[in-house]
């Protein structure tokens, strides 16, 4: 028998075996659905109760976090002149997390003040107060400060 014939015969055997194997699986009856046992019912009830407790705990934790966010102290911001003004003006709508995670240039902070007014209805920030706040932000949350995001590695 030539090598080719051996290969062809082998191939046919493999295909046949696979076919028979598959056919056998397809033909199997579906497992019977038994009614739940008392133990199973008790287990399910316990699981649902545990889930409800966990969901309640989650909601409570969220509520506590929301309260904590609202009761932030000024000292979460970097200590420098202008902190009180910034904290007072900037925490009416969101906490300081948005500020603390940012690392913008003075120009970008300045633009952001207008964006906050145009896009989100912030009372326009003008005059000396604007200078104070933008100076503070650029000085403490500028690209040279390595914030949680790492800042700009090319400016350090
Ligand atoms: C009138 C409400 C309001 C006030 C006041 C306000 N902001 Fe915002 N600010 C927003 C809203 C709304 C967003 C968008 C929040 C979001 O995308 O989840 C935002 C977003 C930001 C962001 C994220 C911008 C970005 O692209 O990553 C920064 C930083 C920020 N504010 C800083 C400030 C500073 C600094 C002040 C004070 C000068 C201030 N905000 C005052 C409403 C306000």
């Amino acid at each position: 028998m030539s090598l080719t014939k051996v290969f062809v015969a082998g191939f046919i055997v493999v295909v046949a075996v696979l076919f028979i194997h598959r056919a056998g699986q397809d033909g199997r009856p579906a497992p019977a659905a038994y009614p739940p046992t008392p133990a199973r019912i008790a287990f399910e009830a316990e699981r649902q109760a545990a889930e409800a407790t966990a969901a309640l705990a989650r909601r409570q934790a969220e509520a506590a976090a929301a309260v904590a966010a609202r009761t932030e102290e000024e000292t979460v911001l970097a200590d420098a002149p202008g902190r009180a003004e910034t904290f007072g003006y900037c925490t009416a709508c969101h906490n300081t997390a948005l500020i603390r995670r940012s690392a913008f240039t003075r120009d970008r902070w300045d633009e952001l003040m207008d964006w906050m007014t145009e896009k989100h209805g912030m009372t326009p920030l003008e005059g000396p107060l604007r200078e104070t706040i933008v100076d503070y932000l650029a000085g403490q949350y500028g690209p040279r400060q390595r914030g949680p995001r790492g800042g700009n590695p090319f400016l350090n």
Side-chain angles (χ1 to χ4, degrees):
M1 199 157 37
S2 77
L3 204 57
T4 318
K5 279 182 186 159
V6 171
F7 274 127
V8 169
F11 182 74
I12 289 168
V13 168
V14 167
V15 168
V17 166
L18 284 177
F19 185 77
I20 291 161
H21 185 68
R22 234 181 84 82
Q25 273 178 353
D26 284 350
R28 261 177 227 159
Y34 297 107
T37 60
R40 177 81 211 169
I41 291 167
F43 173 80
E44 262 313 299
E46 227 169 85
R47 196 183 58 79
Q48 281 173 11
E51 253 173 33
T53 309
L56 182 66
R58 235 181 356 257
R59 279 201 301 279
Q60 280 171 342
E62 276 168 19
V67 169
R70 261 183 267 123
T71 54
E72 241 186 354
E73 302 271 346
E74 184 186 313
T75 49
V76 296
L77 289 176
D79 189 10
R83 177 171 78 175
E85 291 84 344
T86 305
F87 187 79
Y89 206 89
C90 303
T91 54
C93 311
H94 50 70
N95 65 22
T96 62
L98 286 175
I99 299 172
R100 286 182 282 115
R101 66 156 206 219
S102 300
F104 300 139
T105 60
R106 196 182 190 289
D107 282 352
R108 180 77 187 95
W109 275 118
D110 200 55
E111 282 168 22
L112 207 66
M113 297 302 100
D114 296 329
W115 174 81
M116 213 84 63
T117 297
E118 283 158 23
K119 205 71 186 213
H120 300 298
M122 182 176 84
T123 310
L125 184 53
E126 304 291 353
L129 184 57
R130 182 176 180 125
E131 293 302 306
T132 304
I133 289 178
V134 173
D135 283 346
Y136 171 81
L137 291 168
Q140 304 305 314
Y141 299 95
R144 278 166 198 279
Q145 275 69 43
R146 278 194 171 276
R149 282 176 180 174
N152 183 339
F154 299 103
L155 289 174
N156 277 283

